[in-house]
Amino acid sequence: SSGINAEWPLRPGVTKKKSYETKKDLVSAIQACCDKYAHLYLIEVHNERNNLLKEIRESWKHSRIFLGRNKVMALSIGRTMESEYKKDLHKISKGLHGKRGLLFTNEKVEEVKEYFKSHKKLCFARSGSVATETVVLPEGPLDLPHSMEPHLRQLGLPTKLKDGVIVLNQEHTVCTAGQALSTQEAVILKHLGNSMAEFNIELMSHWSDGAFTVLSESGTAMDAADDDFGDEVIEDANEN
């Protein structure tokens, strides 16, 4: 099922028109925010987790957060000096790629900085994440339920059951600092309770009343290629 509620046969152009209207609504919403809110931040989400994003969303109901559909967001505020909605907004637009988005707010700058500086949470790393430390398991017993032993062996751990206890036959390096985690390594770390990743939202740059300021060193490398603009799903993080 396509998920589209329409009588069959579907009229040609209906889905295309709907997509266009959705984009048009997003453009209007973002431009309205440029007029309504005093501050705009380019933000980057690190180690995105839906439940943690939801907490941020609840805390910032007084503001507006937009994530996803980078190309449409960039076009909304303008990608060049000639097309920008307000002075110097194109500088924010240039940084819209990857896991970045827009935060509109009337909160004071220092309060915004303090909130996001302190609002960081450890979470389990996923495959592809870079290991922040080398984890080595010594030879001997593992403090995990004995029923997990076959599963741990499938994950590549040299284990056996001895008197109802999981035992490592030899020392085993789970992961190495600086290297990307495999799926198996990420699962093992989760079983071990090792929260190697950190969820946080970084403030990359700030715009207010025509004045643009870079807030993060990585925020200076903000010339995104057109290829960076994929067809992500539009998400206004303040919509239910």
Side-chain angles (χ1 to χ4, degrees):
S1 171
S2 66
I4 299 168
N5 295 319
E7 293 182 4
W8 188 263
L10 196 62
R11 295 192 309 279
V14 167
T15 54
K16 192 172 182 180
K17 183 178 179 183
K18 192 171 183 178
S19 174
Y20 172 76
E21 290 299 327
T22 303
K23 291 177 183 177
K24 193 176 176 183
D25 289 344
L26 180 59
V27 169
S28 298
I30 289 174
Q31 291 181 347
C33 285
C34 291
D35 297 327
K36 179 179 179 181
Y37 295 97
H39 304 280
L40 167 59
Y41 294 87
L42 176 68
I43 59 176
E44 180 164 353
V45 182
H46 298 284
N47 296 302
E48 180 180 348
R49 301 292 184 272
N50 288 337
N51 61 318
L52 298 178
L53 265 178
K54 189 175 180 180
E55 289 179 17
I56 299 281
R57 184 184 306 156
E58 290 297 316
S59 299
W60 288 80
K61 278 187 172 179
H62 47 65
S63 306
R64 292 291 295 272
I65 300 173
F66 294 90
L67 295 169
R69 214 58 185 266
N70 291 337
K71 185 175 183 180
V72 181
M73 288 195 289
L75 291 172
S76 302
I77 58 178
R79 294 178 62 185
T80 64
M81 286 181 66
E82 292 73 30
S83 65
E84 61 188 15
Y85 185 67
K86 289 192 174 185
K87 183 179 181 292
D88 274 356
L89 274 178
H90 78 280
K91 294 180 180 178
I92 291 281
S93 181
K94 283 183 179 294
L96 273 169
H97 54 85
K99 294 287 185 179
R100 293 185 178 180
L102 303 174
L103 163 64
F104 290 94
T105 185
N106 284 323
E107 300 298 296
K108 293 178 180 177
V109 172
E110 289 309 313
E111 291 177 4
V112 176
K113 287 182 178 179
E114 184 55 38
Y115 178 89
F116 287 104
K117 184 179 179 182
S118 62
H119 201 90
K120 300 178 180 182
K121 291 197 175 182
L122 288 174
C123 53
F124 295 118
R126 291 174 175 170
S127 62
S129 299
V130 176
T132 57
E133 60 178 303
T134 297
V135 176
V136 179
L137 297 176
E139 179 182 346
L142 270 179
D143 187 19
L144 290 169
H146 67 86
S147 59
M148 289 183 64
E149 196 276 329
H151 176 55
L152 294 175
R153 243 184 305 124
Q154 286 181 341
L155 291 171
L157 289 179
T159 59
K160 64 181 179 182
L161 268 181
K162 186 176 181 181
D163 299 327
V165 177
I166 299 177
V167 177
L168 272 178
N169 297 324
Q170 62 191 55
E171 183 183 89
H172 181 80
T173 301
V174 177
C175 63
T176 304
Q179 293 186 4
L181 296 173
S182 68
T183 301
Q184 291 83 357
E185 289 168 348
V187 173
I188 292 169
L189 288 171
K190 186 172 183 179
H191 288 321
L192 296 172
N194 188 318
S195 300
M196 195 173 280
E198 183 183 70
F199 165 84
N200 71 88
I201 291 182
E202 184 180 4
L203 302 175
M204 309 304 294
S205 55
H206 170 251
W207 177 92
S208 182
D209 196 24
F212 172 83
T213 311
V214 173
L215 301 177
S216 167
E217 286 184 17
S218 52
T220 57
M222 297 202 306
D223 281 327
D226 286 345
D227 290 346
D228 289 330
F229 297 116
D231 285 333
E232 306 94 330
V233 175
I234 291 177
E235 179 191 350
D236 173 358
N238 289 84
E239 294 292 342
N240 293 324

